[in-house]
């Protein structure tokens, strides 16, 4: 299995109860038809299906710990890519971009971001389940390499169709000292999709 994950965490421990539902509502109305379905949406999580049902993404909100997770799963790394030409990138990177644009209207919140271990075991995959369960790996903290200063409209730029270069506006990098082995699986993580995870 190929797995990639991204975590937003509000250090204050509080996010408004309607924030995650707002994210789901925006995505449901803007993403291509059938990526999201009401039968796969709940108050605290949703399942997105892409790439001819070969790729599944879980959006998950833990209000008690002020966490929003994006976890993408597929059989092969290549199936985690979406978009074409300039817009081709990991589905996780694209969804992170869309969520960040939504969060701009919540300027009082200051989310920390981290990558999650790409080992399926740390997500509970392959332990009697085919879907991610409680995460047991490390959080690999990120810092922005630059901030987006220009105005950006996802509707105009084609982001909801995974087109254009919106996903490159705020690239992230690992903070110093964050490339240690994961505490869950004891493996050193490989985050790029071009490389195989051990």
């Amino acid at each position: 299995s190929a797995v990639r994950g991204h975590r937003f965490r509000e250090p204050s421990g509080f996010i408004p109860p309607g924030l995650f539902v707002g994210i789901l509502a925006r995505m449901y109305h803007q993403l291509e038809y059938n990526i999201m379905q009401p039968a796969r949406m709940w108050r605290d999580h949703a399942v997105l299906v892409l790439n001819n049902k070969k790729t599944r993404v879980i959006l998950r909100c833990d209000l008690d710990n002020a966490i929003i997770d994006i976890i993408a799963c597929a059989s092969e790394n290549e199936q985690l890519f979406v978009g074409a030409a300039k817009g081709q990138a990991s589905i996780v990177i694209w969804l992170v971009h869309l969520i960040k644009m939504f969060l701009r209207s919540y300027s009082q919140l200051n989310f920390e971001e981290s990558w999650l271990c790409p080992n399926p075991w740390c997500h509970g995959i392959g332990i009697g389940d085919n879907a991610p369960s409680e995460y047991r790996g490390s959080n690999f903290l990120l810092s922005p390499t630059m901030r987006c200063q220009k105005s950006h409209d996802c509707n105009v730029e084609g982001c909801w169709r995974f087109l254009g270069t919106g996903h490159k506006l705020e690239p992230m990098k690992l903070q110093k000292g964050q490339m240690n082995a994961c505490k869950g699986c004891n493996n050193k993580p490989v985050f790029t999709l071009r490389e195989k995870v051990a």
Side-chain angles (χ1 to χ4, degrees):
S1 296
V3 180
R4 293 297 185 276
H6 192 105
R7 172 166 285 180
F8 292 91
R9 177 182 169 274
E10 224 308 321
S12 70
F14 173 79
I15 55 177
L19 183 147
F20 185 68
V21 174
I23 290 171
L24 296 186
R26 178 74 59 86
M27 289 187 173
Y28 178 72
H29 288 292
Q30 297 288 352
L31 288 173
E32 187 177 331
Y33 178 71
N34 265 344
I35 289 179
M36 298 181 76
Q37 287 292 317
R40 300 193 302 264
M41 296 168 60
W42 297 266
R43 185 176 59 185
D44 59 354
H45 68 287
V47 179
L48 286 63
V49 179
L50 305 98
N51 292 335
N52 296 317
K53 300 184 178 180
K54 294 177 181 175
T55 307
R56 295 183 182 270
V57 180
I58 290 185
L59 300 179
R60 182 169 60 199
C61 179
D62 178 353
L63 275 178
D64 291 338
N65 293 298
I67 287 171
I68 297 173
D69 285 341
I70 306 167
I71 304 166
C73 314
S75 298
E76 305 290 338
N77 281 359
E78 293 75 14
Q79 294 168 346
L80 294 180
F81 283 104
V82 294
K86 293 180 180 179
Q88 188 177 63
S90 159
I91 180 60
V92 173
I93 291 174
W94 266 118
L95 293 177
V96 165
H97 166 67
L98 295 172
I99 289 175
K100 282 184 177 182
M101 294 301 104
F102 181 87
L103 291 176
R104 282 185 169 187
S105 59
Y106 290 86
S107 58
Q108 70 277 24
L109 300 178
N110 185 27
F111 282 94
E112 294 177 347
E113 295 182 54
S114 57
W115 286 333
L116 304 180
C117 179
N119 189 327
W121 186 90
C122 286
H123 297 269
I125 299 173
I127 312 176
D129 295 315
N130 290 320
S133 57
E134 184 177 354
Y135 181 64
R136 64 193 75 198
S138 295
N139 297 325
F140 297 89
L141 290 172
L142 302 171
S143 296
T145 58
M146 62 179 182
R147 293 287 186 187
C148 176
Q149 301 297 329
K150 65 177 184 177
S151 61
H152 176 79
D153 186 333
C154 288
N155 294 312
V156 173
E157 300 291 337
C159 300
W160 294 104
R161 303 290 176 182
F162 312 125
L163 300 173
T165 57
H167 63 290
K168 296 181 179 179
L169 285 179
E170 295 182 329
M172 306 293 287
K173 66 178 180 179
L174 286 167
Q175 292 183 10
K176 290 183 178 180
Q178 289 295 306
M179 274 307 292
N180 298 322
C182 172
K183 66 181 181 182
C185 63
N186 208 32
N187 288 336
K188 190 171 182 179
V190 175
F191 294 111
T192 63
L193 287 171
R194 304 296 183 186
E195 299 177 67
K196 300 294 184 185
V197 178

